[in-house]
Amino acid sequence: MFCTQCGKKISMDDRFCSGCGAPNKNFQKEINVAVKPEEPKPEKAKPEEAKPEKKIYHAEAFPKEKEEVILESEQYDYRALPGKEVKGIKSIYMIDFFSRLTGKSNIPMCIYLILNVGIIGLICSAFLALPIGWGMAAGLILYIASVTVALSPIGEFMIRYQNNCREIRDVEVVNRLEPLFREVYYKAKKQNPEISGDVRLFMNEDKSPNAFATGRKTICITRGMLEQDDDTIKATFAHEFGHLAHKDTDRLLVVYVGNLFITAIASLFQIAVMINYVIMSIVALFMDSDEGFFVAIFNAIASFISLIFVRGLMRVWGALGTALCMKTSRGNEYEADHFAFTLGYGRELTLFLTALAAYEGDKPRGLFASLASSHPDSKDRVDRLLELEAQAQ
């Protein structure tokens, strides 16, 4: 026999349930007493145990192979939000990208891309013995091919791989970041339905607090961000979703992959110089002593100067690219900050940028260092956010 109130197993001889204190109706029926028994004071009922929340692992933002689960917050189900399909000619990825380069703020970026095409064209003319016109045409075709790769999932994978952005497998970290990511993702997609419904979160082992977005489906934070509080992490996510919303991240892919293309050509040239040095050194050994000596000396000097020239040229080229892209990048940062402000994370982002300006810990490395060098000063960003807050009041 079981209690009709709480379901606890009881005996026919029990007057009351030992679990919840409810009267045993079957007991009253069985003994059929003439006098109504004195009702004892009911025992305090034990509160019902709260049902555990439904646990679901979301593969959209984190790796599929984990068996552990994390809590689902149905309040921020970004997958249920409607997306906005781009129609017309801009639905073609490449055309959409180049159409957005026509803005005034992107003029420095366009100059940089044109210079890239020019360098590749000159290299094609020199190595393939082509007229300048045909060499430039070949350079343009090769660069468009590199842009196509950059704007594909391959480009996103390349930039993640080069910067050691890995899937998050630590269960404790996943359980902390997933609700924060979902909340900001929901608000960002609600604000801008064009944001992809398949954005994923990755992590880099860099110790400095930082993050970047690339392509249209990647956000990567550093391990150093885990030292920040949850509100700061949400503000950082909001800023990066601002980049995805404005599609600034396509430009990062194009510049990064374009630089890899130029760097690859420079590396091949340096390898060719080294091979030529080895061959000429061997030839000099079989020549007359005086003539072989001068050939060896000339070969060594020529190889050294060639390598120094190419490496110096790459440094200058990198600095020029940073300078040309800096203005565009600065404008993008202000716009992403504004996006985070509209989502309700302006104050948290302001506090983070203020702390970042005084940060003296580990410095960013690799791509994070390049991005930091092209960003506007943190104090300027704080001033703009404070202006936005004053205008909203």
Side-chain angles (χ1 to χ4, degrees):
M1 177 184 298
F2 298 92
C3 177
T4 58
Q5 298 296 320
C6 67
K8 182 178 178 65
K9 187 174 182 180
I10 58 177
S11 171
M12 289 281 292
D13 299 329
D14 292 333
R15 187 185 298 271
F16 302 99
C17 174
S18 61
C20 66
N24 182 359
K25 296 180 179 180
N26 292 325
F27 174 82
Q28 293 178 354
K29 291 180 181 179
E30 291 294 330
I31 62 175
N32 194 23
V33 295
V35 180
K36 183 178 180 180
E38 181 181 353
E39 294 184 3
K41 295 181 180 180
E43 298 179 12
K44 187 176 180 181
K46 294 183 179 180
E48 294 185 9
E49 295 182 359
K51 295 183 179 180
E53 295 184 49
K54 184 181 179 182
K55 296 184 177 182
I56 294 180
Y57 178 75
H58 299 289
E60 291 85 359
F62 294 94
K64 297 180 179 179
E65 56 267 33
K66 298 189 66 58
E67 295 181 358
E68 292 80 4
V69 293
I70 59 179
L71 298 179
E72 177 187 34
S73 175
E74 297 181 359
Q75 184 180 1
Y76 298 114
D77 188 4
Y78 57 83
R79 296 165 299 173
L81 292 174
K84 183 178 180 182
E85 183 179 356
V86 180
K87 298 181 179 180
I89 194 170
K90 285 192 175 182
S91 61
I92 302 175
Y93 203 178
M94 287 286 291
I95 294 178
D96 178 46
F97 169 74
F98 284 112
S99 67
R100 286 183 285 107
L101 285 180
T102 57
K104 184 178 179 181
S105 62
N106 291 319
I107 290 177
M109 175 75 70
C110 292
I111 293 174
Y112 182 63
L113 297 181
I114 291 171
L115 290 175
N116 272 335
V117 172
I119 288 180
I120 296 174
L122 290 174
I123 293 173
C124 289
S125 297
F127 282 88
L128 301 178
L130 295 173
I132 291 295
W134 284 107
M136 290 298 173
L140 179 61
I141 292 172
L142 288 174
Y143 200 71
I144 290 177
S146 72
V147 170
T148 303
V149 172
L151 296 178
S152 70
I154 296 175
E156 283 193 48
F157 172 79
M158 287 175 62
I159 200 169
R160 290 199 304 263
Y161 181 80
Q162 288 290 329
N163 292 279
N164 297 314
C165 298
R166 302 289 184 254
E167 293 177 336
I168 303 174
R169 301 180 182 280
D170 188 318
V171 181
E172 184 177 350
V173 175
V174 169
N175 281 314
R176 180 189 176 191
L177 294 182
E178 167 70 357
L180 311 180
F181 184 80
R182 286 175 59 82
E183 176 184 330
V184 180
Y185 196 166
Y186 178 87
K187 293 180 179 180
K189 189 166 177 58
K190 190 174 182 180
Q191 177 75 13
N192 189 323
E194 289 189 13
I195 293 176
S196 170
D198 192 26
V199 180
R200 298 183 63 192
L201 182 64
F202 297 84
M203 180 173 288
N204 174 283
E205 294 300 319
D206 201 296
K207 300 300 182 182
S208 62
N210 215 326
F212 77 88
T214 185
R216 299 192 177 182
K217 299 180 179 180
T218 296
I219 291 179
C220 179
I221 67 170
T222 61
R223 184 165 291 278
M225 281 300 301
L226 297 179
E227 302 298 324
Q228 306 299 315
D229 57 55
D230 289 355
D231 288 338
T232 299
I233 294 176
K234 287 192 286 187
T236 304
F237 284 155
H239 175 87
E240 299 308 329
F241 271 110
H243 284 306
L244 293 178
H246 301 142
K247 300 177 182 177
D248 308 327
T249 48
D250 290 345
R251 303 183 191 108
L252 173 62
L253 277 177
V254 170
V255 170
Y256 189 80
V257 175
N259 283 347
L260 284 179
F261 194 78
I262 297 292
T263 302
I265 293 176
S267 299
L268 290 174
F269 180 80
Q270 293 179 73
I271 292 173
V273 169
M274 295 301 297
I275 292 174
N276 179 73
Y277 171 75
V278 172
I279 293 174
M280 293 304 298
S281 297
I282 294 174
V283 171
L285 293 175
F286 293 94
M287 299 177 69
D288 293 337
S289 58
D290 292 341
E291 186 177 356
F293 174 76
F294 285 113
V295 169
I297 292 296
F298 177 79
N299 180 41
I301 294 174
S303 299
F304 177 77
I305 292 175
S306 297
L307 292 175
I308 293 297
F309 175 77
V310 171
R311 292 176 183 177
L313 184 63
M314 291 306 299
R315 284 182 174 273
V316 172
W317 182 248
L320 178 63
T322 300
L324 287 173
C325 298
M326 185 175 292
K327 182 174 178 58
T328 299
S329 177
R330 291 190 176 205
N332 294 341
E333 291 304 309
Y334 290 133
E335 291 176 357
D337 288 345
H338 188 276
F339 186 84
F341 179 85
T342 60
L343 296 186
Y345 301 104
R347 181 174 295 276
E348 292 82 359
L349 186 59
T350 300
L351 293 174
F352 177 54
L353 290 173
T354 302
L356 202 60
Y359 178 73
E360 296 181 353
D362 294 315
K363 300 300 181 183
R365 297 171 296 175
L367 178 63
F368 292 103
S370 300
L371 292 174
S373 66
S374 65
H375 284 182
D377 187 77
S378 295
K379 293 181 180 179
D380 293 337
R381 294 170 65 184
V382 168
D383 290 341
R384 293 210 178 194
L385 285 168
L386 292 176
E387 289 177 8
L388 290 173
E389 187 174 353
Q391 293 171 6
Q393 290 178 350

